[in-house]
Amino acid sequence: MLRTALRNVLAHKARLLMTTLAVLLGVAFVSGTLVFTSTISEAFQRSAERSLTHVDLAIQPDADSEAAEDDPRGAANLDQGLLDQVAALPGVAAATGEVTGFAALADKEGDLVGDGWSTTGANYYAGPDGAGTDARYPMAEGRAPAGPGEIAIDAHTAERTGYQVGDTARVSVNGPVREETITGVFTTEDGTVAAGGSLVLYDTATAQELFALPGEFTRITLEAADGTSQAGLFDEVEPLLPADAEAMTGQELADEQAADIEATTSGMRTGLLAFAGISLFVGIFIIANTFTMLVAQRTRELALMRAVGASRRQVTRSVLIEALAVGVVAGLSGFAAGVGIAAGFRSLMNSFDLTIPEGPLVVSGSAVLASLVVAVVVTMLAAYLPARRAAKIPPVAAMNSVHAAPTVRGLLVRNTIGALLAGAGAALVLAGIDRDDSGATMGGGAALLVIGVFVLTPLLSRPVIALASPLLRLFGVSGKLARLNAVRNPRRTAATASALMIGLTLITGLTVIAGTVSNAIEKMAAQTLSSDYVVSMANFAPLSPEVAETLAEQPGVTGVSGLRASPARVAGGDDTEMLTGVNGAAIGNLVSPEFTEGSFEGLAGENAVVDTATAESLGLGMGDSFDVTYEDGQPGRLTITGLYEDSEMMRGIILDNATLDPHLDRIEDFQVMVSTADGATDEVKQSLEAALGDNPAILVQDEEDVAEDIAYVFTLMLNMLYGLLAMAVVVAVLGVINTLAMSVFERRQEIGMLRAIGLDRRSTKRMVRIESIVIALFGGVLGVGLGVFFGWAVGEMMRGSLATYEFLLPWDRLAVFLLLAALVGVLAALWPARRAAKLNMLEAIKAD
């Protein structure tokens, strides 16, 4: 039986090729994901470890401490006094005060170097007297910055921008452009720089002024003296720690960074493996279809084996051995392809300037084992039912009939199970709309519904395909034959169409959800914002108040308000509430939330406006006064002069900046609203950008720009998901090709007869193409229908948090998806149709 099984594998190489390819693609995705995420995880981990070479102990603010929780501002930065104290300890060889923050460097063309979080600034710490060196940043060229107006840049940034020592560079830290002289180029093991970011160094005093407060540090790192362990150093430092600070050994920091990196790559790995799983799930239909047809073609052969003494178990085992051989070949090939995919991913990230630290590809034994196990398990699982079905056919019946039709009872049981699964799934999806655990309920229901529809697909195929009969009549005999062929074997048609259905269900659902949410947020922005422009940093870091002051002085500007945020204790509560500071005199013309009582009129002094949800939670109403403890610990009392409906764009307690500013340690805006006499025009926008020094780190956006930003986020997300789901669609295409090719092989006698009685080659090709298109569109219609239902359900679940929610159907995209399904049918039929047209009539008629 073993020799027979292996012989059948070799005899059906061409027929098993598509099955092997389907499994190979899914396995390649799995192995590529494992190799790629392991590679970047290890590369970043090594880089992080190198950056901690001189750190035996680190002292940093502890946001989770009781002292920090009792202070509205949270944990305070570390001061010079603490640095001097720990530096004097006998177990300390060197102490370094660190200050870090956002610093956007422009290249020589004025474009931002790096992106968002990866554009950072820090201090070069040369000791309290400024005479030492900073072991973190050894200078490769020039010298360290020594005062205001001087910076040093990392060697990688210098190389890609062409900057040299002595050049002047434009830098933005909190809005205004700073012209800085480059005094040095340094090397660093900083992980952000290794990942393609940029690092700008200032002298310590300047860095403190920009990123903290004079005399403050965001972290203090210590290097132990000879003979002092990290644990011993910790014991020396611990008594000196402030109540809102913590100390961590270098090993603990390394472990924490390793855990953070693993968590990040784990999320990426899980996401990519989910799409690989979808591809493999789609591949199961192809494998099951392939082995079902192979078994059907060998029914008499298997019956003869049963007649000469083979048991049912041996017949089942022989088919599973074939599946095992296919799985092993697909697993090994898929693993090799996956290593290539991992290398390609790495090169692709580097080409987008998302650099990964240097290091080899990490090919672990677990990746190899996972590839083989996944391939073999998926293949054998999909082949089990066809193998079991083959073993159950009585030898005499099998010798008399090549194609044993499924029993009425079997179809009835299948349809009953499918209806129960689909009904339960739909009920769970609907129930998930209003449940607290909506994600789990709706996800489980969606899975049940998809499985139920798959089980029901043979039943659905006849009425759905019958709807296309009027169109198929236009193609004459070819169209009629194509329709009959498509419904001849409902189970095969169902399995083939279901592979495409799954991919289109996900694509359609994601498209509907993204379009609906994007539209809701755009409407919310249009209803809430009355300003012509919103100004912010590219990475949403705080803006200097100088930005609002500069814009207010521009010709044609009629109103400006900086928006400031500050934590505070409100109405005697223990929880921290955020206060939003605005220009009380101008804000009414810049934002337009829906007021239930009062307005922005009189927003000055001790007056405030509050959203209805916050007021209700605090037990307050219109005209009530309440106590507030500002972030500097000073008490105050505010009176509610307006209540408005909260939204994603605006919520919380709003008061005048003149009232809030005296309590802020650092006055900064997270956004600036601007209205102009001429409205939002290209000329006005350019003049505002020019007034801010054409700063690449600052965004000046009108309502259309905000909408485009929102659309861009969803479009980028959708395009990524489309790209990942494309693998499932490619596998589905292989399934259609495989089904048609083997169907043509089964019907070669019939096709020969049709050719003999007058069906020409062109009509034969057309028949196969139309059959392919009908099957593909059947899957497409089911996929689009399920996707729309899931998109609606998710949208209804989100309705409570999006007041502007309105369900929209992207008819243009749905039409494109159906056209793509038809195109899949056309492409999949190219080879099978050509093969059918080229059959020799006499040889086909003689075929048994």
Side-chain angles (χ1 to χ4, degrees):
M1 295 301 292
L2 176 61
R3 287 196 299 270
T4 302
L6 295 177
R7 184 203 67 197
N8 284 325
V9 172
L10 297 174
H12 300 140
K13 292 189 293 290
R15 291 181 234 171
L16 291 171
L17 176 62
M18 295 301 173
T19 300
T20 304
L21 280 175
V23 181
L24 183 153
L25 287 174
V27 171
F29 212 153
V30 171
S31 60
T33 297
L34 295 175
V35 171
F36 176 66
T37 52
S38 296
T39 297
I40 61 175
S41 177
E42 186 163 319
F44 279 113
Q45 193 166 327
R46 283 198 304 268
S47 176
E49 288 173 354
R50 288 195 296 268
S51 69
L52 294 173
T53 302
H54 300 284
V55 178
D56 289 307
L57 194 73
I59 304 171
Q60 54 200 17
D62 183 7
D64 297 326
S65 66
E66 290 185 11
E69 291 177 354
D70 291 338
D71 190 330
R73 292 172 294 184
N77 283 330
L78 310 174
D79 58 28
Q80 183 68 48
L82 177 63
L83 176 60
D84 293 339
Q85 282 183 295
V86 295
L89 292 173
V92 175
T96 302
E98 299 181 4
V99 189
T100 58
F102 171 74
L105 176 69
D107 61 20
K108 292 184 176 181
E109 285 70 42
D111 297 325
L112 189 64
V113 180
D115 184 23
W117 61 270
S118 61
T119 55
T120 54
N123 67 312
Y124 183 91
Y125 186 77
D129 57 358
T133 60
D134 192 333
R136 299 171 299 166
Y137 310 118
M139 288 292 155
E141 300 177 39
R143 61 171 177 81
E150 296 184 348
I151 60 171
I153 61 175
D154 65 90
H156 178 63
T157 297
E159 181 181 353
R160 61 178 166 165
T161 59
Y163 280 134
Q164 297 178 345
V165 173
D167 289 346
T168 299
R170 300 169 71 242
V171 184
S172 176
V173 172
N174 57 1
V177 173
R178 301 168 59 93
E179 300 282 344
E180 314 279 16
T181 300
I182 299 174
T183 63
V185 176
F186 60 92
T187 59
T188 178
E189 296 292 347
D190 187 280
T192 302
V193 174
S198 64
L199 179 59
V200 176
L201 296 183
Y202 295 88
D203 68 283
T204 296
T206 303
Q208 288 174 330
E209 180 184 342
L210 294 173
F211 306 132
L213 292 173
E216 288 189 350
F217 299 95
T218 54
R219 189 169 78 158
I220 295 173
T221 59
L222 307 177
E223 187 175 352
D226 292 340
T228 302
S229 66
Q230 291 185 353
L233 184 60
F234 177 87
D235 292 338
E236 286 189 48
V237 169
E238 187 178 23
L240 302 178
L241 291 178
D244 57 352
E246 63 176 346
M248 299 181 70
T249 65
Q251 185 59 52
E252 288 174 336
L253 281 174
D255 292 342
E256 186 179 77
Q257 289 192 5
D260 290 342
I261 292 168
E262 176 58 30
T264 302
T265 55
S266 176
M268 182 192 303
R269 184 185 303 121
T270 301
L272 292 174
L273 287 176
F275 288 98
I278 293 168
S279 299
L280 287 167
F281 184 63
V282 170
I284 287 176
F285 296 108
I286 299 173
I287 301 164
N289 243 4
T290 301
F291 278 94
T292 298
M293 289 184 279
L294 286 174
V295 167
Q297 292 164 15
R298 290 164 39 211
T299 302
R300 288 188 177 179
E301 175 191 329
L302 294 173
L304 181 60
M305 293 170 61
R306 290 286 313 280
V308 297
S311 65
R312 286 186 177 183
R313 183 175 295 178
Q314 285 177 311
V315 171
T316 302
R317 194 181 299 150
S318 70
V319 178
L320 290 179
I321 289 172
E322 293 181 49
L324 175 63
V326 171
V328 170
V329 171
L332 293 174
S333 305
F335 173 73
V339 173
I341 289 173
F345 275 168
R346 182 169 179 167
S347 299
L348 184 64
M349 290 186 72
N350 288 338
S351 68
F352 282 104
D353 213 19
L354 301 172
T355 310
I356 299 173
E358 291 295 327
L361 283 176
V362 178
V363 181
S364 63
S366 60
V368 180
L369 183 62
S371 300
L372 281 173
V373 169
V374 166
V376 170
V377 169
V378 167
T379 309
M380 294 186 70
L381 183 66
Y384 175 72
L385 285 179
R388 192 164 177 270
R389 198 178 299 128
K392 281 187 172 183
I393 300 174
V396 176
M399 288 180 183
N400 291 332
S401 176
V402 175
H403 303 292
T407 64
V408 174
R409 181 175 176 276
L411 289 174
L412 180 61
V413 170
R414 175 175 180 144
N415 293 338
T416 302
I417 293 174
L420 290 173
L421 288 173
L428 283 174
V429 169
L430 294 175
I433 292 174
D434 299 318
R435 287 177 61 91
D436 293 335
D437 59 340
S438 55
T441 303
M442 193 170 288
L448 278 179
L449 180 54
V450 170
I451 294 171
V453 171
F454 163 66
V455 175
L456 284 174
T457 308
L459 177 67
L460 298 173
S461 62
R462 290 185 180 275
V464 173
I465 293 176
L467 293 175
S469 295
L471 287 175
L472 297 180
R473 291 196 191 102
L474 299 176
F475 298 96
V477 175
S478 297
K480 182 178 180 180
L481 290 172
R483 182 181 65 81
L484 293 174
N485 289 332
V487 297
R488 174 184 295 184
N489 191 330
R491 287 183 173 178
R492 181 185 303 171
T493 298
T496 306
S498 295
L500 188 60
M501 176 193 79
I502 292 169
L504 281 179
T505 296
L506 294 169
I507 290 172
T508 302
L510 291 169
T511 301
V512 171
I513 294 167
T516 301
V517 172
S518 179
N519 177 71
I521 294 177
E522 287 178 25
K523 286 176 63 177
M524 187 183 298
Q527 292 176 9
T528 305
L529 299 179
S530 303
S531 61
D532 295 314
Y533 295 98
V534 176
V535 181
S536 62
M537 293 291 281
N539 73 330
F540 304 107
L543 287 160
S544 165
E546 183 183 331
V547 172
E549 294 167 4
T550 301
L551 293 171
E553 295 171 356
Q554 301 310 303
V557 172
T558 56
V560 174
S561 175
L563 274 61
R564 294 164 193 167
S566 173
R569 308 283 189 202
V570 175
D574 294 329
D575 295 332
T576 298
E577 298 282 348
M578 293 303 296
L579 304 180
T580 300
V582 299
N583 180 345
I587 193 65
N589 296 320
L590 299 171
V591 295
S592 51
E594 182 182 345
F595 276 89
T596 57
E597 294 183 73
S599 68
F600 281 123
E601 289 293 329
L603 185 61
E606 304 303 317
N607 294 335
V609 298
V610 184
D611 72 271
T612 52
T614 300
E616 184 178 348
S617 68
L618 296 173
L620 300 172
M622 184 69 177
D624 289 346
S625 297
F626 58 94
D627 294 326
V628 58
T629 302
Y630 294 101
E631 67 172 74
D632 62 353
Q634 295 298 313
R637 191 166 180 81
L638 299 175
T639 301
I640 298 177
T641 58
L643 293 171
Y644 67 95
E645 294 290 347
D646 68 307
S647 69
E648 294 298 317
M649 305 295 296
M650 178 170 284
R651 58 163 51 97
I653 302 170
I654 301 174
L655 67 162
D656 188 50
N657 278 332
T659 304
L660 183 62
D661 286 355
H663 303 286
L664 302 181
D665 289 338
R666 192 181 190 89
I667 297 176
E668 293 174 321
D669 298 321
F670 63 85
Q671 225 172 40
V672 176
M673 304 285 192
V674 182
S675 62
T676 62
D678 296 331
T681 66
D682 290 340
E683 292 75 15
V684 172
K685 181 178 179 180
Q686 290 172 5
S687 69
L688 295 180
E689 290 175 337
L692 296 174
D694 290 320
N695 191 329
I698 291 183
L699 297 177
V700 179
Q701 297 179 298
D702 57 23
E703 184 180 315
E704 184 178 347
D705 294 327
V706 172
E708 286 180 358
D709 263 7
I710 296 170
Y712 173 76
V713 171
F714 285 105
T715 301
L716 182 63
M717 177 189 70
L718 274 180
N719 288 340
M720 291 174 61
L721 294 175
Y722 287 165
L724 293 169
L725 288 171
M727 181 73 75
V729 175
V730 169
V731 174
V733 172
L734 293 176
V736 180
I737 295 173
N738 209 19
T739 299
L740 288 174
M742 300 188 79
S743 180
V744 167
F745 177 82
E746 281 184 355
R747 304 199 314 259
R748 62 194 186 282
Q749 189 177 54
E750 174 189 319
I751 293 171
M753 289 293 294
L754 289 171
R755 290 287 314 282
I757 61 176
L759 192 70
D760 59 19
R761 289 189 172 185
R762 178 176 296 179
S763 298
T764 303
K765 286 183 178 179
R766 187 183 301 127
M767 175 186 70
V768 177
R769 287 197 197 103
I770 294 172
E771 179 185 352
S772 177
I773 292 171
V774 166
I775 293 173
L777 280 175
F778 174 48
V781 168
L782 291 180
V784 168
L786 283 173
V788 168
F789 175 67
F790 292 144
W792 169 83
V794 173
E796 288 297 310
M797 182 179 70
M798 299 169 63
R799 182 187 288 275
S801 58
L802 283 175
T804 52
Y805 168 83
E806 178 185 357
F807 180 66
L808 293 178
L809 278 178
W811 293 106
D812 52 344
R813 293 210 175 192
L814 299 184
V816 168
F817 295 156
L818 290 177
L819 286 175
L820 287 175
L823 180 61
V824 164
V826 172
L827 295 175
L830 290 177
W831 177 55
R834 183 180 178 84
R835 183 181 179 188
K838 282 189 171 185
L839 282 176
N840 183 289
M841 285 183 286
L842 295 179
E843 290 181 1
I845 291 171
K846 289 191 298 180
D848 187 8

